[in-house]
Amino acid sequence: LAQVSQWFWPVMAVFSRFMLTPKWMRRLFVVTAPPLSFVAGTGVFAWVNRDDESREFVLKHGQPTEEFRLEFFKENALLWDTNNELMEDAIKGIRHRMLMEKVQGHVLEVAAGTCMNFPYYSKRVKSLTVLDRVEEMLAMGQKKVDSVRYPVQAVVGEMTKLPFEDGTFDCVVGTLCVCSAEHPKKALKEMARVCRPNSGRIVLIEIGESSWTIVNAVSEYFMLGNPKHAWDCGSYDDRRIAELVQDAGLMIRAHRTARKGRFHLIVASPKWTDAVDAPEESEAMPKLKGDGTIFFSHTPAEPDVQVEAGQAAQG
C-alpha cells in the first residue's frame, strides 16, 4: 500500500497531461503532488507497521547496556555477514567509493567487526590494522584474510582507548562504528589522536539521523523507525553523526549523504596544529602501545612467490 501511494505522483503526472486542461491546474498538481504522495505513502507504511509493543518495551526497560550489546555481537558473529546482506547491498557502492578513493598509507579500521571492508581497499594501502573488541567477530574476518594483498594485523582492543601512539596512522576508518560505540565522542577523539596531524584523514561511513528535514519531521510525526534497534541490532541508528564529529574536535572536510540522508559519508581530520609530534613515516607495520592484543596477522607473499605457487598448482 505504501509503494502504491508513493507511485501516485509519477503516474498521475502523466495522466494529468491529458486530464487537467487548464495550465495552472497542471502546475499546481506538479508542485503539490510529490510531497502529498510522500506523506501519504509514509503514513500508510507507518499505519501498517505500527509497533506499540516495542515502544512500551523501551519506555519500561530503556536502552540496553554495553555488556548486553557486546554479548549480542558475540552470539551473532557466526552469521553476521549472512544476516546483514541487505545492509551490505545498500552500502556496497558507498564502501567502494569511499575506501578506494580516500584511504591510503598506514590505515587503522576501528570496530572492524568481521572485516567486510577487506575487498574495498586499494593498492595505495601500505598496511591495515583492524581493531575490534569482540574476538568472535575478528575470527570471522580471519577467514577472509588470505586474499588480501597488503599486510594486516588484527587487534583486540577498545575504540575508546586505542593502543597506539599519537599520530601513528595516515588514515583512520570507521564503518558503522560511531553508531555502535557506547561513548561515541570519546571514540572519535581517540581516532583523531592516533591519526597523523595535519596530513591524516578520518573516513567515516555511518548510519544516523537523516539530513533531510522532511524525513525527520515525517518520521517523528508518524513514529517511524524501530525503537528497539539497539536491542535488536546492537547499534543506534538515530545519532546526529556530523554533530558528534564536530563536538569531538574534528574538522569536517567533506560530508555527503545517501539513502534519504540516513547514511553519512564524512572525511574529517584532526585540528590543525603547528607542533607536529607524529612519528616519522615508515614502511613497517605500526606497533602496539598500551592495552591491546594481536589476534592474528597476515603478510602477503611476494609477487614472484605468488606466481611460482600458481605455476606449481597448475603443474
Side-chain angles (χ1 to χ4, degrees), residues 32-274:
T32 58
L36 291 177
S37 298
F38 175 79
V39 172
T42 305
V44 173
F45 178 85
W47 176 71
V48 172
N49 295 277
R50 188 177 180 87
D51 190 358
D52 292 331
E53 292 183 4
S54 294
R55 299 185 184 282
E56 292 175 2
F57 178 90
V58 173
L59 288 174
K60 182 178 180 180
H61 299 283
Q63 296 297 346
T65 62
E66 185 178 20
E67 289 73 20
F68 175 91
R69 296 192 301 111
L70 288 173
E71 192 63 31
F72 173 87
F73 291 133
K74 292 179 182 179
E75 293 177 356
N76 290 274
L78 186 62
L79 297 175
W80 188 263
D81 291 359
T82 302
N83 294 338
N84 287 274
E85 284 183 352
L86 291 177
M87 174 70 78
E88 174 60 18
D89 290 341
I91 66 174
K92 185 179 295 184
I94 297 172
R95 287 182 193 262
H96 184 274
R97 182 169 61 252
M98 291 290 287
L99 300 181
M100 288 286 286
E101 296 178 1
K102 310 295 184 183
V103 178
Q104 61 184 354
H106 293 295
V107 180
L108 169 66
E109 183 177 344
V110 177
T114 61
C115 305
M116 298 179 75
N117 284 335
F118 274 167
Y120 301 105
Y121 290 110
S122 70
K123 296 179 180 179
R124 296 181 297 170
V125 172
K126 295 179 181 179
S127 71
L128 174 65
T129 301
V130 293
L131 179 141
D132 203 281
R133 190 173 173 182
V134 181
E135 294 185 12
E136 289 80 357
M137 286 286 198
L138 291 176
M140 299 303 298
Q142 188 173 7
K143 299 178 181 180
K144 309 171 185 176
V145 78
D146 289 339
S147 61
V148 176
R149 298 304 179 210
Y150 41 80
V152 177
Q153 67 177 355
V155 177
V156 179
E158 294 269 4
M159 73 172 79
T160 54
K161 192 178 180 182
L162 297 175
F164 303 100
E165 292 183 352
D166 296 358
T168 299
F169 296 94
D170 300 297
C171 287
V172 181
V173 175
T175 303
L176 306 180
C177 80
V178 175
C179 60
S180 303
E182 186 73 12
H183 305 286
K185 288 183 185 178
K186 189 174 181 180
L188 287 166
K189 288 181 179 180
E190 275 292 280
M191 294 168 73
R193 179 185 66 80
V194 301
C195 187
R196 193 173 287 276
N198 303 336
S199 63
R201 293 292 181 269
I202 298 167
V203 178
L204 301 173
I205 304 173
E206 298 291 339
I207 187 171
E209 183 181 84
S210 176
S211 61
W212 295 12
T213 304
I214 188 172
V215 171
N216 291 329
V218 171
S219 297
E220 183 177 353
Y221 181 79
F222 289 110
M223 293 187 295
L224 297 179
N226 178 12
K228 285 181 61 182
H229 191 275
W231 291 93
D232 297 339
C233 304
S235 60
Y236 300 90
D237 65 344
D238 58 353
R239 287 176 170 170
R240 297 180 177 180
I241 304 300
E243 288 187 15
L244 287 171
V245 172
Q246 291 176 329
D247 291 345
L250 279 67
M251 294 176 58
I252 295 180
R253 296 183 175 273
H255 181 197
R256 298 166 55 194
T257 59
R259 300 287 176 176
K260 295 182 180 179
R262 293 297 308 279
F263 282 96
H264 298 261
L265 322 177
I266 295 176
V267 178
S269 63
K271 291 291 186 180
W272 183 271
T273 175
D274 294 328

Side-chain angles (χ1 to χ4, degrees), residues 289-300:
K289 181 183 179 182
D291 297 332
T293 305
I294 295 180
F295 187 76
F296 70 82
S297 60
H298 166 76
T299 302

Side-chain angles (χ1 to χ4, degrees), residues 5-57:
S5 299
Q6 290 181 334
W7 274 102
F8 173 77
W9 173 70
V11 172
M12 289 302 296
V14 176
F15 190 64
S16 67
R17 177 69 179 175
F18 304 98
M19 296 298 295
L20 301 179
T21 303
K23 192 174 183 179
W24 67 269
M25 292 183 65
R26 291 201 298 270
R27 290 180 176 176
L28 180 63
F29 181 84
V30 169
V31 171
T32 58
L36 291 177
S37 298
F38 175 79
V39 172
T42 305
V44 173
F45 178 85
W47 176 71
V48 172
N49 295 277
R50 188 177 180 87
D51 190 358
D52 292 331
E53 292 183 4
S54 294
R55 299 185 184 282
E56 292 175 2
F57 178 90

